[in-house]
Every structure is written in C-alpha cells, then in structure tokens.
C-alpha cells in the first residue's frame, strides 16, 4: 500500500516519529517505567502524564471516578489506566507503519 | 462520456501531485490525469484542453485556490470542481461552496478517508457520464433528490456528514425509506435533509426495500421537507432538532432532549465553545463544574495534539465505576455524554454515534 503510506506522510509529516510504547507514572507525575524509545522527548512524556493525571484527578472530584481514559486522535491513540493515583499510559500510533 | 474522463489536479507540491496521480489511476473509470503546480498554469490548461474534473488545493502561493475556483466556475460551468484542504474550517467550506465547488474534502488522513474520497470522485465522474446534463452544479440534497425523481431512477443514496452516514432508498423516482443512526423512515429523511453539508454517493438499487415513506411524488415530499427545515431554522436552528415524533404527536425535541432519550444515556452536557453562551445539560445536578472539566480536558489534549502533530482530537472516552463518559468536540460545542456503566466499549461507541445524529444539523 505504497500510496496510503504517502498519504499519511503528506497529511501528518510528524506521524512517523510518534512512538509506540507505554510508560507508567506515580501520583506525582514521575515516570517509573517506560518502553518508549529514547528518541521520544521526556518533555512530551511529562506533558502527557500531567494531562492524564489531571483529567483523572479532576474527574474524581466530580464523582466520575474514571478508571480508564482513551484519547482518540486522528494519528494516535492514548490509553491511560488509573493506578492508585498514578497511571499506566499506552501510546499507539494509528494507520502508520513504523518506518 | 466518450473515452476516459480527464482530471486536472492542481497543487503546489510535487509529491502531492504524484500521489494524486497514483491514487486516481486506480479508479475504475481509469481517468487520464494531468497535474499542474500553479493557478495560472491550471487556467492555461483549461483554456486549451478539455477536462471533466478539477481537483484543487485551497492553499497555494500567489493565486489562492478560491480565486482559481471562482474564475473556473464562471468560465467552465460543466467542469466538476473538487477542493482539498488540510484545514478544517467551516467558513472556508462555506466560501468554497459559495464559489460553486461540487465537493469540499479534507485531505484524507487514513485508509478509510482515502477510500471514501476515491469512491466520491468515481461517483461524481459516473454521474456526469450517466446523467449527461451536468452544467448545474449539484450542491444540495434537494437537487439530487429532484434529479433522481424526475429521472425515475432507482438507487440507494449514501449521504455522509462528517462521521454520520445516512441512506435514502429511492425506487422508480420515489423515496421509499431512509435510515440514519437509530432513526428510520421519514424522521431519518428529515434528519439527513437538515444536514448543511456532506458528500453523496450512489449505491445499487434495492427495489425490495420495505416502503415506509408514502408520498405521491418527489416534489410534494421535498416541499414538506423544506418546510420542516425552514421551521426548524426559524425556531432557532442549532437548538431545535427536526423531527423527533414523540408519542402522542409531533412534539419537537431539542437535540439535548433527543439525546437524553437514547437508551444507555445517563446524562448529556453541551458546553458551547463560545463561553459567553450558556451550558445546557440533562441529568446533571451541577453542570458548571462538569462543563469546566470538559473544557479543560479537551483544551489540554488539543494543545498536546498541536504540539506533537497528532491530528484532530476525535473524542475522549472515559470508563468508570459509576458510569462511563465520552467527550466529543463538535464544531461549535463540546458534548459530554454520561453512559450506563453496564454498556460495553463497543455499545458505548454505538450509543454515542446515535446521540451525535441528534446534533448533526
């Protein structure tokens, strides 16, 4: 499917750099384990952690008590599972073959 | 159409042009594809050669796509014009349709989009080949239904509006049934008819479809549909959904009310993007904090998308113990939908799709 590969590259040039992997963070946002490639900047990991922990925390205050969040982007799926105030976060690029 | 259809593709990037050429060559109609990198060159080619379709990017240096399209539409009324853009912008879409384009398309971002795009291109080329009376650009569902009615055609018309898909069954020029989400019959047809934009595709006829819509002729049906849509618009457009018939007769529901009636939905909150507008909700005791969480969560993840180039944020699904929650960003508002915790993930998605049909217009 060479054509589709080109479509993806054209539409979202940075997609091929999106990582496939997971990491876990403690309730303070510290990364405790990661299978992400080292090329993926730690600032991005921190940014995702902060957003996920905040979404879980604020939802809890509203009584929503979420145990799992799935954030669906056109190019990436983020699945975050709540773990005693921390989270396990899985990143899965969509529709892009690892190059 | 005698011989292969001819398509002119205009884009300022060479690799995109090559890509279009590769994709379009796979169409069943085997079109002959010519490419060019500038508006001036496109105009010159149209002047000297005959094409059936122009596919153009909207953002280009020097002469932008809309300028080119306005000129082309005036000079070549027979030409099918398709515009492609990487930018999702409702005002741009409107300007493009106002300029007379036949199809406005966001650049495909995945295999499914690409397939749909190619099917639409093929359908447009086929329509030109079969119909033989292009010249009036088909822009509305009303025009298409009218054409099919007058031609006494039988077909299934697939209408796609963003992530929603509706179908209209036409037999011998009469609309016999329609379906979208959990709606069928006249209600579904009215919902589809109220969509402001979308793409159309003709599918093979299903003449055995059970008839649920009974109108003597297409004109009478279209008149009634137009009246309904006009009434809805007069009543305040976005906040009144056409067409839910409530037991006991003909009461009109707001999208919020209609959403709340969907099985499995525990609450619905609508937070307008314009924060000066009021938050609306059903089944939420204290909507403001929930609206704030919804807005903050979406804003945070949309910023992340911009920083990491993740593409459009489609939705956020939350699974929880008291209930599940899904947030969907729409063009003018954010919807936060609470779902019964017994629903599976697949059933949640299906329920959310049904809710979205209530907000489609």
């Amino acid at each position: 499917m060479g054509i589709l590969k080109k479509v993806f590259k054209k539409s979202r040039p940075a997609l091929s750099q999106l990582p496939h992997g997971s990491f876990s963070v403690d309730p303070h946002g510290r990364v405790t384990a990661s299978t992400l490639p080292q090329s993926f900047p730690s600032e991005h990991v921190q940014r995702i952690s902060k957003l996920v922990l905040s979404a879980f925390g604020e939802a809890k205050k509203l009584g929503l008590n979420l145990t799992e969040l799935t954030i669906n982007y056109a190019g990436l799926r983020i699945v975050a599972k709540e773990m005693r105030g921390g989270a396990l976060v899985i990143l899965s690029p969509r529709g892009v073959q690892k190059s | 159409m005698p011989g292969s259809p001819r398509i002119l593709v205009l884009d300022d990037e060479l690799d995109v042009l090559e890509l279009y050429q590769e994709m379009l060559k796979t169409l069943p109609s085997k079109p002959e594809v010519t490419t060019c990198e500038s508006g001036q060159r496109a105009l010159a080619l149209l002047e000297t050669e005959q094409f059936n379709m122009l596919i153009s990017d909207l953002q280009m240096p020097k002469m932008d796509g809309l300028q080119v399209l306005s000129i082309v539409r005036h000079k070549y009324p027979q030409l099918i014009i398709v515009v492609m853009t990487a930018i999702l912008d409702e005002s741009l879409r409107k300007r493009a349709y106002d300029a007379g384009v036949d199809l406005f398309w966001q650049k495909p971002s995945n295999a499914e989009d690409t397939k749909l795009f190619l099917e639409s291109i093929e359908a447009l080329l086929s329509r030109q080949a079969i119909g033989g009376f292009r010249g009036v650009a088909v822009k509305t569902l009303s025009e298409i239904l009218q054409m099919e009615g007058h031609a006494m055609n039988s077909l299934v018309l697939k209408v796609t509006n963003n992530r929603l898909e509706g179908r209209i069954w036409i037999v011998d020029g009469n609309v016999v049934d329609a379906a979208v989400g959990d709606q069928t019959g006249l209600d579904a047809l009215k919902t589809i008819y109220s969509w402001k934009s979308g793409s159309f595709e003709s599918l093979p006829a299903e003449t055995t479809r059970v008839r649920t819509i009974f109108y003597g002729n297409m004109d009478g049906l279209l008149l009634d549909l137009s009246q309904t849509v006009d009434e809805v618009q007069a009543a305040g457009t976005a906040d009144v959904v056409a067409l839910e018939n409530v037991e006991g007769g003909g009461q009109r529901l707001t999208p919020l009310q209609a959403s709340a009636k969907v099985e499995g939905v525990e609450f619905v909150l609508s937070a307008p993007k314009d924060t000066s507008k009021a938050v609306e909700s059903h089944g939420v005791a204290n909507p403001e904090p929930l609206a704030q969480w919804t807005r903050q969560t979406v804003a945070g993840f949309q910023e992340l998308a911009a920083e990491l180039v993740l593409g459009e944020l489609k939705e956020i699904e939350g699974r929880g113990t008291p209930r599940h929650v899904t947030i969907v960003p729409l063009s003018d508002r954010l919807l936060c939908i609470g779902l019964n915790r017994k629903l599976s993930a697949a059933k949640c998605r299906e329920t959310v799709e049904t809710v979205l049909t209530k907000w489609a217009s």
Side-chain angles (χ1 to χ4, degrees), chain A residues 10 67-68 70 72-74, chain B residues 13 301 312 314 317 319:
Chain A
K10 171 58 195 167
T67 54
E68 185 177 310
T70 303
N72 289 310
Y73 293 103
Chain B
E13 293 185 57
F301 283 109
E312 184 191 0
K314 305 277 190 189
E317 299 167 330
R319 306 214 28 103

Side-chain angles (χ1 to χ4, degrees), chain B residues 11 26 65 70-72 116 120 126 132 143 149 163 192 218 235 241 257 269 281 291 331 352:
Chain B
D11 199 299
T26 64
S70 301
I71 297 167
V72 168
L116 194 59
S120 298
S126 309
E143 286 171 338
R163 45 194 287 168
I192 297 167
M218 188 68 88
V241 77
Q257 290 167 331
L269 178 137
S281 67
S331 58
V352 168

Side-chain angles (χ1 to χ4, degrees), chain A residues 1-4 6-8 10-15 18 40 44 47-48 51-52 54-56 58-59 62-78 95, chain B residues 13 15-16 18-19 22-23 26 107-111 114 267 289-290 293 297 300-305 307-323 325:
Chain A
M1 297 295 281
I3 294 171
L4 294 181
K6 285 184 93 174
V7 172
F8 297 136
K10 171 58 195 167
S11 302
R12 292 190 292 270
L15 280 186
L18 291 177
F40 190 62
H44 291 346
R47 182 94 173 83
I48 295 169
L51 282 169
V52 163
S54 168
F56 278 132
E58 295 301 314
L62 296 172
L64 290 174
N65 292 334
L66 299 179
T67 54
E68 185 177 310
L69 271 175
T70 303
I71 301 98
N72 289 310
Y73 293 103
L76 182 79
R77 170 176 288 176
I78 301 175
Chain B
E13 293 185 57
D15 59 340
V16 177
E18 285 172 14
L19 167 64
E22 279 185 62
M23 287 199 307
T26 64
K107 283 187 176 173
S109 57
N110 55 40
T114 306
F267 71 78
L290 182 63
W293 175 75
T297 305
F301 283 109
Q302 280 179 333
E303 280 170 23
L304 183 74
E307 286 167 27
L308 275 63
V309 197
L310 305 177
E312 184 191 0
L313 174 64
K314 305 277 190 189
E315 66 196 355
I316 300 173
E317 299 167 330
R319 306 214 28 103
T321 40
R323 63 187 60 80
V325 176

Side-chain angles (χ1 to χ4, degrees), chain A residues 73-86:
Chain A
Y73 293 103
L76 182 79
R77 170 176 288 176
I78 301 175
V79 177
K81 291 177 185 288
E82 204 270 345
M83 293 198 314
R84 294 182 207 154

